Amino acid sequence: PTPVLRSRLIDVFGVDFHEKLMNVGRAEIMERLLTCYETRLHGRPRDSVRVSGHPVPAEICNELLSELELWSQKHMVNNRPSISAKSYMILRSPAEFELKDSKKAKQAAKKLKQYYRLWELATAAIKEVDQDF
């Protein structure tokens, strides 16, 4: 989120905080942040870290894609307007809300129940490559 990027400019790069920085949009914040990184690295590109991954089985990918296509036909809402997408949804982990009794926790539980098959397939894909997940 933009506030996190703004904080990085201030905390990591020591950019002076002033009222004008609060009114600067995301694009300009990103531009300033990239300039700070470039200056810090003296024009050298940032280090890249490459890790060999493991492919997710095609069967899981195909099922997940099918489920996402079904979801996208019904779901025409973007829950994150700052992200350019026709539709966008956040499913929260049960571990995040199951011990809470707040309104938000109940909403998250209801949404997860409604889209449980998506959750199930997504977690299956992750578990294929990360056993500790």
Side-chain angles (χ1 to χ4, degrees):
T2 304
V4 172
L5 299 175
R6 192 175 284 119
S7 294
R8 189 175 304 159
L9 273 172
I10 295 165
D11 300 338
V12 175
F13 293 104
V15 172
D16 289 331
F17 176 82
H18 50 81
E19 198 61 36
K20 286 183 181 177
L21 192 57
M22 288 304 297
N23 298 321
V24 172
R26 182 179 180 85
E28 189 173 334
I29 292 287
M30 268 313 287
E31 202 57 45
R32 289 182 187 193
L33 194 55
L34 291 171
T35 300
C36 286
Y37 275 114
E38 186 175 344
T39 302
R40 175 189 262 184
L41 296 168
H42 307 291
R44 291 181 294 116
R46 292 176 68 184
D47 292 336
S48 294
V49 177
R50 298 192 186 273
V51 179
S52 295
H54 302 281
V56 175
E59 182 181 326
I60 293 175
C61 289
N62 292 336
E63 284 185 66
L64 183 54
L65 181 60
S66 293
E67 196 67 28
L68 284 168
E69 287 170 343
L70 287 172
W71 167 80
S72 70
Q73 292 170 5
K74 299 174 192 172
H75 189 81
M76 301 305 283
V77 176
N78 182 352
N79 296 133
R80 296 278 301 269
S82 63
I83 294 175
S84 178
K86 289 181 184 174
S87 57
Y88 189 100
M89 175 177 63
I90 299 169
L91 288 178
R92 305 234 182 255
S93 167
E96 189 178 327
F97 62 78
E98 64 188 359
L99 299 177
K100 297 177 183 175
D101 193 38
S102 67
K103 182 179 178 181
K104 284 187 176 185
K106 289 175 184 172
Q107 288 172 337
K110 181 180 176 182
K111 186 188 275 187
L112 182 64
K113 184 177 179 182
Q114 184 178 1
Y115 299 106
Y116 190 74
R117 182 69 181 143
L118 266 177
W119 177 262
E120 190 175 55
L121 290 166
T123 55
I126 294 169
K127 286 179 182 178
E128 282 288 329
V129 297
D130 183 355
Q131 306 306 320
D132 296 330
F133 182 79

